[in-house]
Amino acid sequence: MSIATVFEVALAAVVLGLAIWTIAVPETYSATVGFVAYGLLVALIWVRLDAVDVALTEAAIGGGLGGVVLLGAAARLRDAEATAAERPDRFTRLIAAILSASIAAALGLAILILPDHAPTLAPVVAANAGATGMANPVTNVLMAFRGMDTMLEKVVLLLTVVGVWSLASDRAWGGRPGPHHEADPHGVLAFLARLLPPAGIVVGIYMLWTGADHPGGAFQGGAVLASMWLLAIMAGLADTPPVSSRWLRFILVAGPGLFLVVGLGGLCFGAAFLAYPVAFAKPLILGIEVAMVLTIAATLALLLAGAPERNA
Amino acid sequence: MSSVSVFGLCAAAAVGLGLYGLITNPQPLRKIVAFNLLGSGVFLLFGIVGRRGAAAGVGNDPVPQALVITGIVVAFSATALAIALLLRLFHAAGSTTLSSRAPTSPRSDPSGG
Amino acid sequence: MNFARDIMTIACVSTGAFFFLAGTVGLLRFPDTLTRLHALTKADNLGLGFVVLGLLPQAGGLRDGLKLMSIWMFALLAGATVSQLIARTVRRSGAG
Amino acid sequence: MTEFLTAAVGLILALLALGLVSILRGPGDTDRMMAAQLIGTAGIAVLLLLGTVTGVPAAVDVALILALLATFASIAFVKKGLSRLESDGVGSAEDK
Amino acid sequence: MFRAASFLCLWLVLAGANPGDIPAAAVAIAAATWTSLHLLEPSSSRRSLVAIARLALLFLYHSVVAGIDVAGRALNPRLPLHPGFVAYPSRLSRGVRQNVFTTLTSLLPGTVPAGEENGHIVYHCLDVTQPVLDDLAAEEAALVRALYND
Amino acid sequence: MLSPALETSAGGFLLVLSIVVPVAGVLLAFALGDRYVRLVAFTVVPVGSTIAAAVLLVLPQNDGHLAYLLGAWPPPLGVALRADGSSAVMLATTAIVICVVAVFAASDFRPASGNRRAPFAFWILLLAIWAALNTIFVGGDLFTLYVALELLTFAAVPLVSLEGRAETLQAALRYLLFALLGSILYLMGTALFYGLYGTLDIVLLSHRASAEPGALIAAALMTTGLLAKTALFPLHLWLPPAHAGAPAAASAILSGLVVKGSFFILLRLWFNVRPGMSGFAAAQFLAALGAGAIVVGSIVALRQERLKLLVAYSTLAQIGYLFLMFPLAFNASGQLESGQALAGGLLQTVSHATAKAAMFLAVGSIYAGFGHDRVTGIRGAARALPLSVMTFALAGFALMGVQPGGAALAKELLLQETARTGQWWWAGVLQVGGMFTAAYVVLVLAHALSPPDQPVALVAKPPRSSGLAALALALCSLLLGLLPWEPYLPITYAAESKLFGVEALVKLLVTVFGGAALAILLSPWPHPLAFSAAGKTIMHLIAPLRRTCIGLGSLVETGDGVLRQWSTASISLLLVALLLAALMFVAN
């Protein structure tokens, strides 16, 4: 075994250990902490697999924001743990373990016996990069070759917002999402929330901009911006806007909306729906991405904030 | 063992663990955590597939990468929606159990609809 | 020249690893949360600093080096503020 | 050089794992608040080294994101911990 | 202006100097500066660059010493710890100034600020037998010279 | 069946529009805010329906298939949209049901009323479901189908909990979690397919895929995931509470359309991706689960006190019905063939979509009128709410296979196939299924038609437009058998010829009387029949038999309760996956 393999085995072991902790630990709060750690470390695996775009997304959304959502719920649901139903009996657990292990084994087998010739689209993607003028192949796939998936996935995000908002009580409809955070304006938290967000904004926009040619893109940038906004909200320096705010709604549909408009433009004047004219491909895609980064940042932050709870 | 096999087995194990947790953990929140674990295992599977498909100049097939990014965002949305439902359920019912059979028992509350 | 750079990298990264080791030992040995907090924030931040220092010679240019430094600064700022927050919480909750 | 750096990555990773064991073991939630902080420093170190070893310059960007998001997660840890302590009747300086 | 320049520096460090980047850089810097001014009002006191540089060096030096200090204690078989709390009466006004001070001193060897009580900053120390209060006073003086020399 | 051509066909842009128009509606409604959502929805619905009609018109002129390359990128790099006859039929069905539900809900979800939250969510989610379903029907790529499937789930779940009561929230959460489990299994299979063949395009996969172990595992995982989303017995834990708890208009969409989305993807997977891969044994297994669904779903439905739950359990049984066609679709060489059996299955799908939606709407009106929906408490409904009871009756007739309904035609087609392939046992299941359907329809009608003890005082009078819309939908379902299907589905059977024969009448009578007998024997509630003297004597005579049957029924209900526990259901899910994989391995 080479030293690199030793490292890989160690990384896999740490990640799996955290996964086991997350599943096995009796207390929910500890499990969510374990999951955040897991998510952040899985990003290392993605770097090792040479998929930096995914590593960025996993670190930002999978581990970071996703973990924080879970953590917030765990903190709010502490009292519910006692009333929750008891664990299934030992027999059920045994059967579940056997079956899960069989599925995992089947999957492992399927991976190990994948054919040697390894079909790939990587050369085709590289060969067609010229059509968009961007050097990052992942951005090309997301925005051009599989643009439909990306657009629909933005609609999924929007629907999630609708779904979360629809859980508000009728009284709070139109109000501000999430609990009100009040913190000492002279405290350390407020201090950090004054210093970090501007730098975070630069980093977020950099992430978006560099996504054209290097790993990065709208999701990653949006996630950074969202976390900075939330930081300011948690420190009591900002508040979530009321859900009836027209500006907010406009920003939430800007990304998919622009995507749709550009796509329809392609349908009317160009080759096909979502086909970009070669000369304008890069500016068009960047324009969509700028709109999307705003949409994503607002959506992610609002999803973390939750349903409307307070009157505006 | 190549990195593909190591991480491939890791992905399969994460899937197994996630499934087990999803079945046996009684609290819904733990099920959601387990679902996220399961999801990340499946995403790693895509990563393995993409790594095998690495071509000259590209370390990992970009198509599976793009699929995973989409998948991560969808999984995050699912988590957010499930958590919101769970919190609202806790608020409305005072508990978060999923095992109640009240809605389908023959003599349930007639006011329900 | 190349050799000197490698020597410096090896020395600095080793030092960094040493501080990580010390931090982890501290985490394992120290008796309570607040003392463990010291171990975590101080030793690990220094360890990261040395790793960054060790990687500077391997970095492509001045910009990459500065980028590494700025990451360290972010980590330092985070460590300094978060440790205060945790310390406050611990003191208030009486667990320290 | 590559072997040395890989070994360093492995060492720091192992230390990170040990640290996580110690933190997650508890005993209190306040210990667990440090987890994201630990990953924020050790994880960044691993990432930076890994980026140099495997020749993936963009790993630095991942480290940057990790630094920001780990800080954010740490704050969330503390904040959620605080709100819980409050509900237990223990006031805190940070939350009014 | 000072802030805009520092964000420009951050952008240049992250993305490099590339003429094609100018629009993005401009947007980033404008947004960051606006946010920064919104979140934190500019202070009026004079700053001395030399003193800031000295402060930075002091800061680096302290963090190195702090790391070595903790490492030494952790690896020492006898585990020489005398943990406890110390209250330090700071002359700095509450708010950003005091926060800067606590943030800096959290990197001093053996101290972590753990909140405040009766106008004093409470520090948790690894070793209360060390001259913690004197070190803190020296640090405060350096900080005042650098940033808050009204 | 799907177009093999890798280029855009003449009317292909219609496929894009069928997705884009509802999506644009979602975005516009969200941006404009509470006051305009309904207006936007009422603008989008006619436009979308026109597009569906246009697809129906254009398709036959293009040899029965349409294709569109998004961004002009050919697969495997790009994503193609494709439509065949079945897509066109499903597009049209969806458009019709959505139209009717929109008319029905127009008064319920008025944005002007005090509560603005529910209308806002309802209309946006309605449009989103439409977009998701259309994407599923025309999507040509397994991952695009995954995104569409998630879109569907994310739109359907909030509909369940629209009223915000604790039990509906719980139902929504169960639904979401189980659906997520299903979609992640689907995604696993997708990853394996890409790893094996380097494409996710359905047509390209159909050329490349072969029955190798990895592909079989992938197919088993994907099938199971889709079964969980379709709520095939025993993976149905989420369906009854979710479909019974939602508002009537939402239930109609959920029961009529949403479960058909995952079912349609399953059809694509089995019939298009690799017809030879999914073996005969696995198909028998699916059909066996379907038979189980018919028996358990119907028996438990008969035992429900609440009408909405009864209808929800009937959905469960009807979903089982859809799976009976799988073993009948094999040709002589052991390959799945897109022939008459598939046509029958699709017809069954269309018929159930329209009839069940109408049924839920009718039940919703009854619920609104009476203020409750207890089966035993709706006596006199026929006089008080004639329109709703008539709708329920017509939809019920359509479901149980009365000529010239779609279900009747589908049943005839499937019976022919059982004869062709010599699988007589499925013919028996088909007949019994019709009888069970008749049982609960007769049960409800018997209660609704019997005179009340005291004059019925309605809590609220449902608007006439709603009632008429539902009635139109039920009628539509009952007349499906008369439509010309040839351009879209390979149906050579002439329904008109047997419309009024003696044979049809006998069949009808057998079904109805069988159903009535089953209803008397299995329903634990006091029968309206028992109030007449003759009825009392009969009831007295069969009392011991009835006690036994009710005992059996309660046993089935207990078993259903066990199966609907989370751990049991998810264990069954894994078992189904492993069994499917094993059966596929055996076959190959």
Side-chain angles (χ1 to χ4, degrees):
Chain A
M1 280 212 297
S2 73
I3 200 159
T5 312
V6 174
F7 160 73
E8 276 161 4
V9 172
L11 183 55
V14 175
V15 166
L16 275 186
L18 277 171
I20 293 174
W21 163 273
T22 303
I23 295 299
V25 69
E27 215 203 340
T28 308
Y29 184 81
S30 308
T32 48
V33 172
F35 180 74
V36 174
Y38 170 89
L40 293 176
L41 282 183
V42 167
L44 296 186
I45 295 191
W46 284 108
V47 172
R48 185 69 203 170
L49 289 173
D50 221 338
V52 182
D53 284 278
V54 184
L56 287 168
T57 317
E58 178 72 37
I61 296 182
L65 294 181
V68 170
V69 176
L70 292 170
L71 203 71
R76 281 174 96 164
L77 289 177
R78 249 170 208 275
D79 309 332
E81 264 187 50
T83 60
E86 73 278 10
R87 244 172 132 66
D89 57 50
R90 182 170 299 201
F91 180 63
T92 316
R93 289 213 304 266
L94 183 69
I95 293 184
I98 292 173
L99 290 176
S100 312
S102 325
I103 296 270
L107 205 57
L109 188 77
I111 300 167
L112 290 181
I113 59 170
L114 282 178
D116 284 331
H117 61 83
T120 175
L121 290 177
V124 193
V125 173
N128 285 296
T132 57
M134 308 236 221
N136 180 0
V138 179
T139 304
N140 276 333
V141 175
L142 279 173
M143 300 302 295
F145 308 140
R146 302 189 72 98
M148 189 62 152
D149 295 355
T150 312
M151 190 193 78
L152 287 178
E153 170 244 70
K154 291 296 165 305
V155 182
V156 168
L157 271 176
L158 185 72
L159 276 192
T160 315
V161 172
V162 174
V164 169
W165 285 2
S166 80
L167 295 169
S169 59
D170 286 332
R171 213 162 20 81
W173 179 245
R176 294 176 190 277
H180 182 55
H181 292 275
E182 253 183 58
D184 180 2
H186 302 303
V188 190
L189 183 55
F191 174 65
L192 186 65
R194 287 177 211 277
L195 279 190
L196 205 53
I201 288 175
V202 176
V203 173
I205 296 178
Y206 160 70
M207 268 299 141
L208 169 71
W209 185 251
T210 192
D213 297 329
H214 304 287
F219 298 116
Q220 296 88 345
V224 171
L225 295 183
S227 67
M228 291 303 123
W229 190 21
L230 283 166
L231 187 60
I233 289 173
M234 284 201 291
L237 298 176
D239 203 351
T240 44
V243 301
S244 53
S245 150
R246 191 136 295 193
W247 268 108
L248 178 69
R249 298 225 172 153
F250 179 72
I251 286 180
L252 285 176
V253 300
L258 191 60
F259 214 146
L260 202 68
V261 168
V262 171
L264 284 175
L267 184 65
C268 295
F269 307 111
F273 183 73
L274 287 176
Y276 310 99
V278 176
F280 304 108
K282 190 169 178 181
L284 278 178
I285 292 180
L286 276 174
I288 295 173
E289 289 223 273
V290 168
M292 284 218 299
V293 85
L294 288 175
T295 303
I296 292 168
T299 311
L300 294 180
L302 285 172
L303 288 182
L304 258 73
E309 292 179 9
R310 296 165 285 134
N311 287 329
Chain B
M1 290 231 286
S2 64
S3 66
V4 167
S5 330
V6 173
F7 293 134
L9 293 179
C10 181
V15 167
L17 279 169
L19 281 175
Y20 176 75
L22 200 54
I23 297 174
T24 57
N25 271 320
Q27 297 105 333
L29 184 57
R30 297 296 297 276
K31 290 193 207 297
I32 300 170
V33 174
F35 159 72
N36 273 291
L37 202 63
L38 181 56
S40 95
V42 177
F43 298 147
L44 271 182
L45 202 61
F46 274 101
I48 305 301
V49 164
R51 179 64 175 169
R52 294 177 68 260
V58 189
N60 196 316
D61 188 347
V63 174
Q65 284 193 62
L67 302 187
V68 169
I69 290 176
T70 307
I72 288 178
V73 176
V74 171
F76 171 80
S77 316
T79 309
L81 185 59
I83 295 276
L85 269 171
L86 184 58
L87 289 175
R88 183 84 174 91
L89 174 64
F90 179 58
H91 190 72
S95 81
T96 58
T97 173
L98 281 184
S99 65
S100 155
R101 259 175 286 158
T104 51
S105 68
R107 303 210 178 276
S108 79
D109 177 17
S111 71
Chain C
M1 194 54 211
N2 225 340
F3 182 67
R5 284 203 310 205
D6 284 3
I7 291 290
M8 182 180 166
T9 302
I10 290 179
C12 286
V13 172
S14 305
T15 318
F18 166 77
F19 279 109
F20 274 112
L21 175 72
T24 307
V25 171
L27 271 180
L28 289 168
R29 285 185 74 199
F30 282 180
D32 57 43
T33 309
L34 277 174
T35 46
R36 280 202 280 270
L37 187 63
H38 282 271
L40 177 67
T41 50
K42 307 243 155 80
D44 278 16
N45 271 333
L46 193 60
L48 179 59
F50 272 105
V51 168
V52 165
L53 202 60
L55 288 177
L56 286 185
Q58 308 288 329
L62 178 67
R63 189 171 73 79
D64 292 337
L66 283 174
K67 205 165 173 176
L68 290 178
M69 292 297 284
S70 63
I71 288 176
W72 186 47
M73 295 310 273
F74 272 127
L76 266 186
L77 177 65
T81 42
V82 172
S83 65
Q84 292 180 59
L85 284 171
I86 296 180
R88 262 162 214 258
T89 316
V90 174
R91 193 169 74 91
R92 293 282 163 174
S93 68
Chain D
M1 196 63 211
T2 312
E3 280 82 30
F4 167 74
L5 287 180
T6 315
V9 177
L11 177 66
I12 296 179
L13 190 67
L15 292 173
L16 170 62
L18 268 179
L20 274 176
V21 167
S22 135
I23 281 177
L24 288 179
R25 209 181 45 194
D29 285 344
T30 41
D31 285 279
R32 294 186 185 122
M33 289 177 191
M34 292 189 246
Q37 189 59 34
L38 174 65
I39 290 180
T41 43
I44 289 171
V46 172
L47 260 177
L48 293 179
L49 289 168
L50 201 60
T52 315
V53 172
T54 48
V56 183
V60 178
D61 286 345
V62 184
L64 194 62
I65 295 270
L66 203 63
L68 286 174
L69 267 296
T71 312
F72 176 64
S74 300
I75 303 277
F77 280 20
V78 179
K79 186 85 183 168
K80 305 302 176 191
L82 281 173
S83 63
R84 187 183 69 80
L85 291 173
E86 269 186 341
S87 69
D88 292 350
V90 185
S92 102
E94 205 57 36
D95 273 23
K96 274 194 209 166
Chain E
M1 249 8 257
F2 172 73
R3 292 188 192 182
S6 54
F7 292 129
L8 176 63
C9 288
L10 181 59
W11 176 271
L12 289 177
V13 165
L14 289 177
N18 194 338
D21 292 351
I22 287 172
V27 171
I29 292 165
T33 312
W34 183 83
T35 316
S36 172
L37 291 175
H38 185 71
L39 289 173
L40 182 60
E41 268 140 45
S43 96
S44 54
S45 55
R46 274 185 309 116
R47 296 185 174 85
S48 138
L49 276 180
V50 181
I52 290 178
R54 271 181 55 186
L55 183 73
L57 281 180
L58 189 72
F59 174 71
L60 282 179
Y61 169 73
H62 275 314
S63 60
V64 171
V65 173
I68 295 172
D69 173 68
V70 169
R73 286 173 202 272
L75 296 175
N76 191 322
R78 284 181 293 113
L79 204 64
L81 294 181
H82 306 279
F85 289 102
V86 166
Y88 173 72
S90 173
R91 288 182 291 122
L92 292 169
S93 59
R94 237 179 139 260
V96 176
R97 292 183 176 197
Q98 211 177 63
N99 286 326
V100 172
F101 178 63
T102 52
T103 305
L104 285 179
T105 51
S106 77
L107 290 156
L108 268 181
T111 60
V112 167
E116 60 234 37
E117 222 163 61
N118 311 327
H120 295 214
I121 305 176
V122 179
Y123 281 89
H124 180 263
C125 304
L126 274 185
D127 192 343
V128 285
T129 59
Q130 300 279 318
V132 177
L133 290 178
D134 295 346
D135 286 354
L136 288 171
E139 183 88 0
E140 187 175 314
L143 175 66
V144 168
R145 269 201 304 281
L147 287 179
Y148 301 123
N149 199 3
D150 305 300
Chain F
M1 192 165 71
L2 282 175
S3 159
L6 291 180
E7 56 192 34
T8 298
S9 50
F13 70 95
L14 286 172
L15 306 182
V16 176
L17 288 183
S18 72
I19 300 171
V20 165
V21 166
V23 166
V26 169
L27 299 180
L28 207 61
F30 188 91
L32 289 180
D34 309 352
R35 211 159 304 154
Y36 301 99
V37 273
R38 196 174 65 153
L39 189 68
V40 172
F42 274 101
T43 324
V44 169
V45 165
V47 177
S49 311
T50 317
I51 293 167
V55 172
L56 273 186
L57 285 178
V58 169
L59 199 73
Q61 297 163 11
N62 277 287
D63 301 334
H65 32 66
L66 291 174
Y68 191 87
L69 306 185
L70 290 168
W73 299 107
L77 185 59
V79 175
L81 301 180
R82 295 197 187 85
D84 54 8
S86 49
S87 322
V89 168
M90 293 309 290
L91 284 174
T93 311
T94 308
I96 291 172
V97 175
I98 296 256
C99 278
V100 168
V101 169
V103 173
F104 181 89
S107 58
D108 281 358
F109 294 101
R110 244 200 316 260
S113 57
N115 171 10
R116 290 192 317 204
R117 175 189 62 91
F120 173 76
F122 176 81
W123 293 110
I124 291 183
L125 294 173
L126 184 72
L127 293 178
I129 283 182
W130 199 2
L133 283 170
N134 284 354
T135 315
I136 285 175
F137 298 143
V138 304
D141 181 283
L142 289 182
F143 192 79
T144 306
L145 290 181
Y146 164 77
V147 179
L149 201 56
E150 292 296 55
L151 195 60
L152 190 62
T153 308
F154 281 63
V157 167
L159 274 184
V160 171
S161 60
L162 211 53
E163 289 181 1
R165 281 175 295 113
E167 68 218 56
T168 64
L169 289 166
Q170 196 194 38
L173 189 57
R174 268 156 85 102
Y175 177 21
L176 178 61
L177 284 177
F178 208 68
L180 288 177
L181 184 54
S183 49
I184 218 80
L185 287 181
Y186 178 87
L187 202 56
M188 269 184 230
T190 317
L192 289 179
F193 268 131
Y194 188 85
L196 283 166
Y197 306 115
T199 183
L200 291 174
D201 184 80
I202 291 177
V203 169
L204 290 181
L205 270 179
S206 71
H207 296 317
R208 297 183 189 175
S210 63
E212 50 190 308
L216 294 181
I217 292 175
L221 289 171
M222 291 172 91
T223 304
T224 316
L226 293 169
L227 292 185
K229 288 211 163 196
T230 316
L232 177 63
F233 172 87
L235 312 176
H236 62 284
L237 84 157
W238 58 268
L239 187 141
H243 285 191
S251 297
I253 294 287
L254 291 172
S255 218
L257 296 179
V258 171
V259 287
K260 309 300 187 303
S262 43
F263 180 71
F264 192 83
I265 299 182
L266 191 68
L267 293 184
R268 282 270 184 261
L269 183 66
W270 278 58
F271 285 86
N272 293 116
V273 170
R274 187 57 198 169
M277 195 165 64
S278 332
F280 186 64
Q284 292 286 345
F285 178 58
L286 282 190
L289 292 183
I294 294 176
V295 174
V296 172
S298 304
I299 291 181
V300 180
L302 282 170
R303 297 179 57 82
Q304 297 304 316
E305 187 183 21
R306 284 190 41 212
L307 207 46
K308 283 187 93 171
L309 269 170
L310 185 149
V311 182
Y313 267 102
S314 118
T315 300
L316 183 60
Q318 300 291 327
I319 288 171
Y321 222 98
L322 299 181
F323 283 84
L324 294 183
M325 62 122 161
F326 280 92
L328 307 179
F330 282 86
N331 61 13
S333 58
Q335 297 251 329
L336 274 173
E337 199 181 41
S338 309
Q340 196 140 264
L342 178 64
L346 277 169
L347 209 51
Q348 187 74 43
T349 313
V350 172
S351 149
H352 180 250
T354 42
K356 189 46 66 72
M359 217 174 207
F360 259 116
L361 296 181
V363 169
S365 297
I366 293 176
Y367 182 23
F370 278 75
H372 70 81
D373 67 340
R374 268 167 300 151
V375 176
T376 46
I378 57 163
R379 291 161 65 196
R383 196 159 304 160
L385 297 164
L387 215 52
S388 302
V389 173
M390 184 133 109
T391 307
F392 188 93
L394 288 181
F397 289 153
L399 271 185
M400 68 170 99
V402 172
Q403 295 282 14
L409 179 55
K411 197 165 145 188
E412 289 301 329
L413 291 174
L414 291 177
L415 283 175
Q416 278 187 0
E417 291 301 294
T418 55
R420 183 181 64 81
T421 55
Q423 305 177 52
W424 51 267
W425 54 93
W426 296 127
V429 175
L430 281 166
Q431 299 290 11
V432 172
M435 236 179 255
F436 268 121
T437 312
Y440 45 72
V441 174
V442 167
L443 177 74
V444 174
L445 287 181
H447 281 287
L449 291 174
S450 61
D453 306 331
Q454 63 215 34
V456 177
L458 288 184
V459 179
K461 186 106 180 116
R464 200 167 191 78
S465 61
S466 303
L468 285 175
L471 185 67
L473 193 58
L475 264 178
C476 174
S477 182
L478 198 54
L479 298 177
L480 278 177
L482 300 176
L483 298 179
W485 293 100
E486 278 87 334
Y488 312 104
L489 300 175
I491 294 177
T492 48
Y493 179 88
E496 296 87 340
S497 61
K498 301 199 180 169
L499 199 50
F500 299 110
V502 180
E503 196 190 351
L505 190 69
V506 171
K507 272 184 188 166
L508 175 66
L509 287 178
V510 168
T511 311
V512 170
F513 281 111
L518 281 172
I520 290 170
L521 288 176
L522 283 166
S523 169
W525 314 114
H527 284 279
L529 202 63
F531 295 104
S532 70
K536 268 187 185 142
T537 340
I538 297 173
M539 290 304 277
H540 189 69
L541 277 176
I542 61 165
L545 184 61
R546 184 166 182 246
R547 264 203 298 280
T548 325
C549 286
I550 288 179
L552 272 177
S554 109
L555 212 63
V556 171
E557 195 181 9
T558 317
D560 173 65
V562 172
L563 282 177
R564 283 195 298 104
Q565 276 168 15
W566 177 270
S567 49
T568 333
S570 38
I571 284 178
S572 340
L573 179 79
L574 299 191
L575 262 180
V576 168
L578 289 172
L579 273 175
L580 270 175
L583 288 173
M584 287 183 187
F585 270 105
V586 169
N588 292 284

